[in-house]
Amino acid sequence: MSVLPLQALPIELLRQRSSTKWRSYGDDVIPMFVAETDYPLAPAITAALHRAVEIGDTGYTPPRPGIDLDFADFAERRWGWRPDPSRIRWTGDVMMGVVEVLRGVTSPGDRVIVTPPVYPPFYDTVEEAGAVVERIPLIDDGARWHLDLDSIEAALAGGARAVLLCNPHNPTGTVHSRESLAALARLAHRYGASVISDEIHAPLTHAPAVFTPFLDAGDEAAAVGYIVTSASKTYNLAGLKCAVIVTGAEETAAVVRALPWEVEWRAGLFGVIANRAAFSAESDRWLASLLLALDDNRRLLADLLAEHLPLARYRVPEAGFLAWVDVSAYCWGDNPAPFIRREAQVALHHGPLFGVEGIGHVRINVGCAPEVLREAIERIGRLVDSV
C-alpha cells in the first residue's frame, strides 16, 4: 500500500492547542517560530497515551522502562546500527542530557566547541555546565555547510575539552557526512576530548542525504562520543519529557552511570510511554508519511521565496522541518523577525539568537499545512512593496 503525505490538522483545531506555538501570539499571527509541528500524533502514540489515562497509569517512571530496547530496535531499522541497550540511559529531554554529560566530561572553566549558527540553548547549556563556549562556525562553501575541522583541531590542541555537535544541524538542516564525523572523532581521540552529539532531528533526514549516528562513525567515535536524542522533535512530543543518552564504549558508559540518580528520574512516565510508541515499528508508516509532507514543504518554500522574496537566500535543508533563510537583502535590520511579526503578522525565529552568523536571517518552521506556509510567505512578500 502506498504512503501519502501526512495532512496537517485544521488551523481552527490547532488554535485550540495550549502549547507555546499557539499561545505566544494572537490569532492574527501565523506562528512559525518554535519547533512544534501541526500534524496529528502517530496513532500508536495516541493509543498508548489513551490507555495510560484510561487505567490511571500516571505514577513514577519505573527503574527499567524499556526504552533502551525500543531505541536500539529503531536505530537498527532506520540506520542499520544497533547500539548496545545496556549503554542506553534516559532523562527528561535532550538539553538536560547534554548538560549532565558536559558536567561529567568537563571541569569548570573548560572550553567547549560549538559550531554556529546553532540551536540557541547550546550556548546556555555549556554555561550551565560551568564551561566556556568556544565558537567555531560552520564553513559555507556556497553549496552546503561543513565542519571547520582545521579550526576545531587548533582549538582542541589549545585545550578545548569537548565538542557539542548538532547532527543533523539546526538551523541549517545539514546532515554531516560519515567522513567528516570520523575525522572529528579522530581529532577528539587524539587530543583526549569528548564529543556530545545532539541527534534529535536524525529521523527526519530526507533522501538522498544519509544520516550517520556519531557513534557509528568509527572506533574513535565510539570511544569519545555520547549521543543524546529523543522522539520528541519528529513526533511532536516536547511536552512529554523523555530523552535517551547513548554511549559506545565502557569508559563513556561509566561516565553516564556515574551521573546523579535523579538524571533518570527526570524522564516522565508519559514521555517514556510516548517515546516507546514512537520508536516502535507501528509508527514507521506514520513517519514515512510525515517525511513526504515535509519534503513537499521544504521544496514548496523554495518556490514561494523565488516568487515572493526573490532576494532571499535559502538552501533546501537535508533534514528536519526548519528552514534557514537569509533576508538581509531587504534591509529589515540585523534581526528581521520582530519587524516581520509586527508588519506581516508572521512569527519566525530570531536569526541572531543562533550566533552572529544569524544576522539578517530568520528560521522558518515548515511543519505545517502547505496553505499555511503559502499564506505566511505571501504576507511577508507584501512587505517588499510596502517598505
Side-chain angles (χ1 to χ4, degrees), residues 5-11 14 17 21-22 30-40 236 289-290 292-298 300-301 304 320-323 346-348 364-377:
L6 193 62
Q7 299 296 304
L9 294 170
I11 194 75
L14 291 167
R17 289 181 173 179
K21 182 174 184 178
W22 298 100
I30 299 175
M32 308 185 81
F33 62 111
V34 71
E36 299 178 24
T37 55
D38 296 353
Y39 305 99
N236 202 43
S289 183
L290 173 67
L292 288 177
L294 297 180
D295 184 30
D296 287 346
N297 277 3
R298 66 182 181 140
L300 173 61
L301 179 59
L304 292 171
F321 53 86
L322 305 171
V346 179
L348 307 177
I364 303 176
N365 179 345
V366 302
C368 59
E371 57 268 24
V372 171
L373 179 58
R374 182 177 298 278
E375 180 180 352
I377 302 306

Side-chain angles (χ1 to χ4, degrees), residues 16-375:
Q16 296 177 36
R17 289 181 173 179
S18 58
S19 61
T20 291
K21 182 174 184 178
W22 298 100
R23 286 294 178 266
S24 295
Y25 304 104
D27 287 355
D28 58 329
V29 173
I30 299 175
M32 308 185 81
F33 62 111
V34 71
E36 299 178 24
T37 55
D38 296 353
Y39 305 99
L41 291 178
I45 297 173
T46 301
L49 292 173
H50 183 274
R51 178 60 176 163
V53 171
E54 185 178 54
I55 65 173
D57 191 8
T58 53
Y60 293 108
T61 303
R64 301 297 304 178
I67 195 169
D68 47 357
L69 292 171
D70 291 306
F71 178 76
D73 290 345
F74 178 82
E76 188 170 25
R77 292 196 312 276
R78 300 301 300 180
W79 309 307
W81 165 69
R82 185 174 181 83
D84 182 344
S86 71
R87 292 173 176 165
I88 300 174
R89 314 304 292 179
W90 42 93
T91 190
D93 61 36
V94 167
M95 287 299 101
M96 283 185 192
V98 166
V99 74
E100 296 300 340
V101 172
L102 281 171
R103 285 176 174 143
V105 300
T106 65
S107 299
D110 282 349
R111 289 178 288 122
V112 174
I113 295 166
V114 301
T115 56
V118 75
Y119 184 49
F122 271 32
Y123 304 103
D124 300 330
T125 298
V126 172
E127 293 175 1
E128 184 181 346
V132 177
V133 171
E134 177 147 355
R135 302 171 67 261
I136 299 183
L138 296 179
I139 295 173
D140 182 356
D141 68 5
R144 65 191 315 275
W145 286 272
H146 304 271
L147 295 172
D148 184 349
L149 293 169
D150 289 341
S151 295
I152 289 173
E153 178 172 18
L156 292 174
R161 301 303 305 144
V163 179
L164 182 49
L165 180 70
C166 202
N167 177 44
H169 193 86
N170 174 9
T172 66
T174 300
V175 177
H176 298 300
S177 70
R178 177 178 292 274
E179 293 74 20
S180 65
L181 295 175
L184 175 62
R186 287 193 294 271
L187 293 176
H189 191 263
R190 181 182 306 160
Y191 294 103
S194 300
V195 177
I196 301 98
S197 185
D198 171 357
E199 301 189 354
I200 198 169
H201 293 273
L204 296 176
T205 299
H206 301 288
V210 177
F211 171 74
T212 300
F214 181 77
L215 295 179
D216 193 38
D219 291 343
E220 292 94 344
V224 303
Y226 302 80
I227 289 174
V228 191
T229 191
S230 172
S232 64
K233 203 67 68 183
T234 298
Y235 297 89
N236 202 43
L237 303 173
L240 302 177
K241 293 298 185 180
C242 182
V244 292
I245 305 171
V246 189
T247 52
E250 179 52 35
E251 293 78 5
T252 51
V255 171
V256 176
R257 287 197 300 268
L259 297 176
W261 62 269
E262 67 268 18
V263 170
E264 289 188 359
W265 275 94
R266 292 171 187 162
L269 182 57
F270 273 21
V272 170
I273 290 169
N275 271 252
R276 292 193 66 187
F279 289 140
S280 74
E282 290 182 76
S283 294
D284 287 354
R285 184 178 176 83
W286 182 94
L287 177 54
S289 183
L290 173 67
L291 284 166
L292 288 177
L294 297 180
D295 184 30
D296 287 346
N297 277 3
R298 66 182 181 140
R299 299 177 190 281
L300 173 61
L301 179 59
D303 295 338
L304 292 171
L305 291 173
E307 180 180 356
H308 300 285
L309 293 164
L311 299 182
R313 293 188 294 174
Y314 163 63
R315 193 170 298 154
V316 175
E318 296 174 314
F321 53 86
L322 305 171
W324 189 235
V325 183
D326 180 354
V327 294
S328 57
Y330 292 104
C331 300
W332 293 335
D334 287 350
N335 185 12
F339 171 79
I340 292 170
R341 186 180 69 245
R342 184 176 64 250
E343 300 298 326
Q345 289 76 53
V346 179
L348 307 177
H349 210 320
H350 298 210
L353 291 180
F354 295 81
V356 295
E357 296 77 11
I359 288 174
H361 289 66
V362 292
R363 194 190 72 177
I364 303 176
N365 179 345
V366 302
C368 59
E371 57 268 24
V372 171
L373 179 58
R374 182 177 298 278
E375 180 180 352

